[in-house]
Amino acid sequence: MYDLQKIKKQLSKALDNKRYEHTLGVAYTAAALAMRYDVDIKKAEVAGLLHDCAKCLENDKKVSICEKHNIPISEAEERNHFLLHAKVGAHLAEKKYHIKDEDILNAIRSHTTGRPEMSILEKIIYIADYIEPGRDHAENLNEIRKLSFEDLDLALVKILQDILIHLKEIKKEIDPMTQLTYDYYRQLNS
Ligand code: FE
Ligand code: FE
């Protein structure tokens, strides 16, 4: 149903080397998490492969795609165009890679900030993006990697918490959706 080889071939042209390697890492990690949490493995791989499919577009291009297709740009996205790669990625996944599955498209759309009431697949992609083998900068990675295979929601809360702390430390703008997602899942799991 999904032609992974074909998707990989297209992605290897659309992404730079580093991003392509990251993408393979996310797909691989998402597949492993899908095994653990009884999610369709192929879907997890496809979502992992495509989550950053718009990452290497120029910012102007991302904005123009949004304008052309009436994709709303939030205030945070207006100031930080890199955030747009999630929405634009979901759009390209549908139009260029012919993905119809809403769950996969949502997973791509929500992978930068998360959102309340994510599906298991969405959580898996969010987490896989953070823990894939090529990542090495975040703190507590060993602990979070283990936790991800023990309790998906607790891992999610821990990742969101660490991201918020990190963004505050480096005085970067926090997308309100990241805060909202954290508050939602912290409450749910306390
Ligand atoms: Fe991304
Ligand atoms: Fe990514």
Side-chain angles (χ1 to χ4, degrees):
M1 179 180 169
Y2 296 110
D3 189 342
L4 294 184
Q5 285 322 106
K6 190 175 169 201
I7 293 174
K8 282 184 198 171
K9 214 171 182 174
Q10 282 178 278
L11 283 172
S12 69
K13 289 171 194 148
L15 302 175
D16 62 39
N17 245 333
K18 191 172 146 248
R19 189 58 45 183
Y20 183 63
E21 285 301 317
H22 161 69
T23 283
L24 295 181
V26 174
Y28 162 91
T29 306
L33 287 168
M35 291 177 198
R36 162 68 179 85
Y37 294 106
D38 290 318
V39 167
D40 186 307
I41 297 171
K42 277 277 162 309
K43 274 198 202 185
E45 279 191 277
V46 170
L49 284 174
L50 290 174
H51 83 285
D52 271 343
C53 70
K55 184 82 177 191
C56 294
L57 295 178
E58 298 286 340
N59 280 330
D60 290 354
K61 179 79 185 163
K62 279 176 255 184
V63 172
S64 72
I65 289 175
C66 286
E67 283 167 354
K68 192 167 168 207
H69 299 280
N70 297 317
I71 301 168
I73 299 177
S74 73
E75 283 175 34
E77 288 164 344
E78 192 72 65
R79 288 189 291 270
N80 305 285
H81 284 159
F82 80 93
L83 286 171
L84 280 178
H85 78 276
K87 278 180 182 174
V88 175
H91 173 82
L92 288 186
E94 191 180 353
K95 302 294 179 216
K96 180 176 167 194
Y97 298 90
H98 311 294
I99 303 300
K100 305 263 176 290
D101 187 282
E102 259 320 302
D103 202 15
I104 295 177
L105 298 176
N106 282 338
I108 298 170
R109 201 174 285 122
S110 65
H111 89 267
T112 50
T113 61
R115 64 171 179 127
E117 295 184 29
M118 283 190 276
S119 70
I120 302 180
L121 180 67
E122 288 181 76
K123 292 176 194 171
I124 283 177
I125 297 304
Y126 187 88
I127 292 170
D129 193 24
Y130 195 82
I131 66 168
E132 64 98 354
R135 294 279 200 209
D136 57 4
H137 293 308
E139 274 179 72
N140 307 316
L141 256 185
N142 287 346
E143 183 198 339
I144 290 172
R145 281 182 171 133
K146 254 184 255 171
L147 188 58
S148 300
F149 287 88
E150 288 161 9
D151 189 316
L152 203 62
D153 277 16
L154 286 185
L156 186 65
V157 171
K158 182 80 186 120
I159 291 170
L160 284 158
Q161 184 180 47
D162 283 2
I163 288 174
L164 288 170
I165 291 170
H166 177 70
L167 288 175
K168 277 173 197 154
E169 269 171 10
I170 62 170
K171 298 195 166 55
K172 268 255 172 92
E173 181 180 2
I174 290 165
D175 188 309
M177 186 57 88
T178 304
Q179 186 68 52
L180 200 73
T181 308
Y182 171 66
D183 294 342
Y184 177 85
Y185 283 101
R186 195 202 43 198
Q187 264 237 335
L188 208 66
N189 292 285
S190 60

